[in-house]
Amino acid sequence: MRLFLALIPPPELRRRFGELADTAHSHCGGRRVADDNLHLTLAFLGEQPKHRAEELADWLGGMRLAPGQWRLDRWGHFAEPGIVWIGGAPESGLTRLQHSLREDLEGLGIDARPRRFTPHITLLRRAEHPSGASLPEVALDWSYSRAALILSEPTHQGSRYTPLAWSRA
Ligand code: 3AM
């Protein structure tokens, strides 16, 4: 089972991310991430056996995160896979959260990625012009308090993400 940990935006913020994805797509081309799949990856866990997924669901389900707020105010891109994203300054709470999750996972024997965390929301993949486009200014705030363990499955229409567990409210 291909798993990752993520923050899932509340519906109104997800709608705004979707609008930004449309705008970015009209400038940069490529493949727009579906609204239902817009998220912030905290840790990619790779392929894990079912019993490990259950263990991880119990671990996350028993955890309460320190809530935080993150200001999204910048566009970015990863040139090689043509990813266009929105993000913000690395917010200390978010960085601490990612670090402590990675440490816990290491204790569970999982070498989670990325090691160097650039918090971002992927809007486009395989963009034809990932840089150089003049994209509109962004200023959005995300109040987060729960993380999700997500199952990623390939389909003909792209990846399907299914939350398997949530940290406590
Ligand atoms: O949220 P983003 O788009 O940054 O790119 C994948 C996506 O990240 C990443 O995990 C998230 C959920 O799929 N991902 C997929 N395969 C990966 C791998 N082999 C990976 N990250 C690191 N190594």
Side-chain angles (χ1 to χ4, degrees), residues 2 4 39 41 44 113 120 122 125 161:
R2 195 176 171 85
F4 66 99
H39 67 275
T41 298
F44 178 73
R113 281 159 281 169
H120 66 275
T122 295
R125 297 187 193 281
Y161 296 158

Side-chain angles (χ1 to χ4, degrees), residues 93-152:
L94 204 51
T95 304
R96 264 199 307 275
L97 169 63
Q98 202 264 353
H99 190 77
S100 86
L101 290 171
R102 277 201 55 232
E103 272 188 354
D104 280 10
L105 288 164
E106 215 173 284
L108 293 168
I110 296 175
D111 183 20
R113 281 159 281 169
R115 295 226 171 73
R116 195 169 159 278
F117 182 47
T118 304
H120 66 275
I121 291 91
T122 295
L123 302 180
L124 306 176
R125 297 187 193 281
R126 296 193 215 127
E128 290 137 40
H129 315 287
S131 66
S134 62
L135 292 161
E137 283 194 14
V138 184
L140 295 169
D141 290 305
W142 186 347
S143 296
Y144 58 86
S145 60
R146 297 178 86 187
L149 173 67
I150 311 277
L151 168 66
S152 170

Side-chain angles (χ1 to χ4, degrees), residues 70-74 87-92 94-95 119:
W70 187 41
R71 159 63 55 120
L72 293 118
D73 58 6
R74 65 195 63 176
E91 189 265 332
S92 56
L94 204 51
T95 304

